Amino acid sequence: MFTATLIAAPDRADLSQTMIEALRNAWGGGDAEWLAGGLAAEFPLPDLQQNQWEVWESLQAEGFDLVVQPTDARRKRMLLADMDSTMIQQECIDELADAAGVGPRVADITARAMNGELDFEGALLERVGLLRGLDAAVIDNVLAERITLMPGGPVLLATMKANGAYAALVSGGFTAFTTAIAAKLGFDEHRANTLIVEDGKLTGDVTRPILGREAKVSALEQITARLGLSSADVIAVGDGANDLGMLGLAGTGVALHAKPSVQAKCGVRVNHGDLTALLYVQGYRAEQFVTP
């Protein structure tokens, strides 16, 4: 059995009974259930539909997300999340670069790297090199003044943890940021790259080994092994090319507002919903959400 979940943008909440029933009837699905009025609904399916992605594209154009997945074991026991443009709305290195006066140059490299056009490690070192000499105190200023949480993140973490899930933040960014974000959201652990600081200034380098795509896969494997879980127990979320490994390995890999090259390789794509979409995908109803 499979489950089809429809999700609307939170600021619109315009999912209608008519739309749900039309799709259910066209696909021969079972009784539809609301997960949140106007926001999310689901219905069972006996089989995958050949026109799934054509329907997905049509719904995308109307501002709705559609996820079709196996019904069994949808609710996961571990959350593995990217940070930049996933749990927060910014790319930390771009914000540091802007403060250092090299914002446009670094932002261009970031966009190309996240779309898979550049080698992640080389792109990271090139961008960090442009930060050489920046006062390390700028990091705290950026955290306080420029970094904002992705909508739905606090509820996602609080709800999954209240239901016994483990949460790990794994970023190709920097520990100076993951430390703060992990603590703020309630992650159980975090992994990222460490900026090297000497005499209060960034040296333009990071400690080795560099955490990139393979390190995120290793994190999933290591943490699940330690907890006695399997990759099938994990819901992973990210937006960049360096997230594809962990998204592909996880039981449910969610491309959240992701780059086109990433979406093309993921079966679960969320472009209109916020992070609470990950709860609807797991079958949680809005009344089961936990607000921290």
Side-chain angles (χ1 to χ4, degrees):
M1 290 293 292
F2 296 86
T3 297
T5 307
L6 291 96
I7 304 168
D11 60 344
R12 289 173 43 181
D14 55 351
L15 187 62
S16 69
Q17 187 75 29
T18 300
M19 176 180 291
I20 298 163
E21 291 180 353
L23 181 57
R24 181 202 63 189
N25 292 339
W27 278 359
D31 292 341
E33 296 183 41
W34 282 103
L35 300 175
L39 279 172
E42 66 179 30
F43 58 84
L45 283 170
D47 302 290
L48 290 175
Q49 304 297 304
Q50 290 186 342
N51 68 340
Q52 174 186 335
W53 292 109
E54 289 82 357
V55 173
W56 178 86
E57 289 182 357
S58 176
L59 289 171
Q60 285 286 294
E62 296 181 47
F64 301 101
D65 291 314
L66 168 67
V67 175
V68 181
Q69 61 180 325
T71 302
D72 289 345
R74 277 193 299 156
R75 189 163 294 192
K76 302 304 182 182
R77 299 170 62 189
M78 176 176 156
L79 169 68
L80 186 66
D82 173 45
M83 179 179 68
D84 296 87
S85 298
T86 300
M87 298 310 303
I88 61 174
Q89 298 186 75
Q90 297 77 25
E91 294 283 338
C92 290
I93 195 165
D94 290 357
E95 299 303 323
L96 289 175
D98 189 56
V102 290
R105 184 174 175 186
V106 168
D108 176 66
I109 299 171
T110 298
R112 292 166 62 200
M114 291 302 97
N115 201 39
E117 299 171 26
L118 301 173
D119 169 70
F120 177 80
E121 183 169 324
L124 177 68
L125 292 175
E126 181 180 359
R127 288 175 291 166
V128 171
L130 294 171
L131 302 180
R132 183 176 181 177
L134 183 67
D135 194 320
V138 170
I139 293 173
D140 289 337
N141 293 335
V142 167
L143 269 167
E145 300 172 6
R146 295 172 176 251
I147 303 303
T148 54
L149 299 177
M150 189 68 74
V155 172
L156 170 64
L157 264 292
T159 302
M160 287 194 67
K161 286 179 65 67
N163 283 273
Y166 189 86
L169 185 65
V170 184
S171 172
F174 310 116
T175 53
F177 292 91
T178 59
T179 299
I181 298 304
K184 191 168 188 175
L185 286 171
F187 279 94
D188 295 292
E189 67 176 271
H190 65 96
R191 302 184 184 191
N193 295 298
T194 301
L195 290 164
I196 299 175
V197 178
E198 292 180 359
D199 300 322
K201 306 286 186 181
L202 300 188
T203 66
D205 202 359
V206 297
T207 58
R208 302 300 192 276
I210 291 175
L211 192 154
R213 175 171 173 159
E214 292 308 314
K216 292 190 176 192
V217 171
S218 295
L220 188 155
E221 294 172 337
Q222 292 166 6
I223 297 169
T224 53
R226 189 180 76 226
L227 298 175
L229 304 176
S230 72
S231 59
D233 295 314
V234 180
I235 183 168
V237 59
D239 74 303
N242 64 322
D243 297 315
L244 280 171
M246 71 174 187
L247 295 180
L249 183 59
T252 302
V254 182
L256 180 81
H257 305 162
K259 310 302 183 288
S261 64
V262 177
Q263 291 198 46
K265 297 177 181 179
C266 291
V268 180
R269 311 165 188 175
V270 174
N271 290 316
H272 300 287
D274 62 16
L275 281 165
T276 59
L278 275 68
L279 295 173
Y280 295 131
V281 165
Q282 295 180 76
Y284 285 95
R285 291 174 169 75
E287 58 265 27
Q288 296 173 305
F289 288 6
V290 177
T291 302

